[in-house]
């Protein structure tokens, strides 16, 4: 029996949308106020989903205590209260859109989630905008 | 890398469930108080999801500013503060159930969403009832 | 020890904003699309709060089962799936704004809530607009 | 046109995580405070989704009044305000994790949902932890 | 300038409503299924509000890091994943209704909140039932 | 009949907590990661409440269309997608804590709200932290 289990977490960060191959006018034209050179920020809400068989002994697909700790040490410590463009290695040459942040989070977590389990990352940039990435 | 991006919107409308091929008693029998001839109404919450590859230059699957504007001009202007049965062409011969409203919204938006992108419409009729349609 | 206890409920209804002393143009001018003669509607979310001393025997300010039933029989049955302007006596000569609906609900419930208890009604017309009335 | 319709419900219950094949120390080690022998509890939020073709006469995939009643009589009456470990037959030899509760609910509802319809059960154990089971 | 600052927290617990001065039949009569001798449970959502003057140096009414830690050590550690009737001293002779739990939490926190600050405790027993106590 | 009407809005911004009278070590000591010199950010959710008598002609305490426009032009345009410390005049010498932002918003709106109406500002810095200011 395959079940998909979900854990919510959150982090707050500053960012700006910016393509270094473009000049400021082009960045402003495409990204509008999201490209403000002084940055703006979000309360990112993160949902990490793991799908797999229920373990007969524990009744778990994955121990949520382990998943919660993984999200805390690998994602929240890395991104919470940070400036994504300046302080997060992965975004030095990658635009920190919600899409790209979700992909980066997925890539980090994938290494520590058992190979038999599917992984899916949902990231709310605002309560009205969110993205889902599942490694395809 | 395929990502599914979501944008929330909302509109308020009046409707009644009604099948013109049936007499009033049959409509009342099947649809109950939802068939009240004087109408009732809802705050519809709409989530439009678009799935596709991340564009390398922008980091976007689709510019949310464009999607937001599309929802505003094509859906909100058409449905917000309207009586769906009386004032919306598509429901003159189609029962405005949540299912059918979702299909109509999908059909309208499909024309303006790039062909490489998948489209999915989620419609909350109430916080406790919602439907999802993805064109299948 | 005074505690304020709250119970949430909900009803769906159609309405239009309309002052019968004004002509259609004036109604349209003041109320805009909310005055659509064909009606629009809302999922009204209702919070009824009752404040008073904790009863030493039960540990309750008021038995929530009784409050829930009161809201169901006196408010939901009266307003749910109704056209407020046409079908609800109180709004035949009173504009069904959120403010006035809250006052009407408060007046109805006040009769059945013990005199030592304070009553407060919160009414969400949409998730973004709500009003509070406490009988003052 | 295939649409997936959803109905939310809820129930409150006590449980403890416990594998009867293990001694208390092992249960404590694996399940931590969730294995408290005196139980703890949750407000479970349940979303039942049914997917199928829209019926041309009603505009429904399934009449939500019927689904709501089914959830009420088969699930809420069975689980609401119960101790899952002690009072629910299915958990006498099955650990009442969110995963297993979702599977049990799915198995119960499956019998009363038409064969042409797909069924999916989402169960929130807390606002931060939830699971999805669709019979695979 | 007086501001009221709020911090949300949560804990899960089992309880039953029970007055030891009454026999089982009377308890069942008054409290219904909430008096199940095998317990049921809730995800309690807690909002602690502190009101006072803004400190000119910090711009804070109270450092939220301190309030969060206080709630964690004094309330969550005491109540989370517990059986309130059996394991929490204060409820050995006090019915653990939402009202009484809120009063107990307020009494505990009051000792550690500066005297110039007002304290208010909001406790959600379910998303539909909640109580507020402010020491009056 | 006095009613309190509420309108929700939102803006996203970057900020850091910082007292210019202190050196970096002291700022770090008091404000922790909230003092990150590279900024972090939030989705601020704003609720503006106005309390007063219901106008007999309109049934409104205040026309929500006017309040919505006021919030949009005076608050959202000023704060949305901005760096509060660098780009907002009022915070050049004032620490942009949630408390101080709420006071600034209240002061701005107060000028445009009729004198007979009471004004209250609620500001969510995160879904777990929020403040209320009503001019006292």
């Amino acid at each position: 029996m395959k079940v998909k289990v979900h854990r919510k977490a959150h982090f707050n960060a500053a960012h700006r949308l910016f393509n270094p191959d473009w000049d400021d006018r082009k960045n402003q034209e495409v990204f509008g106020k999201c490209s403000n050179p002084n940055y703006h920020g979000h309360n990112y809400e993160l949902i990490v989903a793991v799908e797999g068989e229920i373990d007969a002994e524990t009744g778990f697909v994955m121990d949520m205590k382990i998943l919660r700790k993984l999200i805390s040490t690998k994602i929240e410590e890395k991104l919470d209260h940070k400036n994504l463009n300046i302080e997060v290695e992965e975004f030095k040459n990658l635009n920190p859109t919600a899409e790209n942040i979700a992909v980066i989070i997925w890539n980090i977590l994938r290494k520590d989630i058992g190979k038999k389990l599917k992984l899916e990352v949902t990231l709310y940039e605002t309560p009205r905008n969110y993205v889902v990435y599942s490694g395809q």
Side-chain angles (χ1 to χ4, degrees), chain A residues 67-79:
Chain A
L67 183 58
R68 187 175 52 192
K69 202 170 173 182
L70 196 62
I71 297 171
S72 173
T73 54
K74 295 294 173 71
I75 306 301
E76 290 176 6
E77 283 188 21
K78 183 185 183 74
L79 302 180

Side-chain angles (χ1 to χ4, degrees), chain A residues 78-79 84 88-95 104 108:
Chain A
K78 183 185 183 74
L79 302 180
L84 300 181
V88 179
E89 190 59 32
E90 285 87 342
F91 298 113
K92 294 215 162 139
N93 294 298
L94 182 68
N95 198 2
I104 293 299
I108 293 169

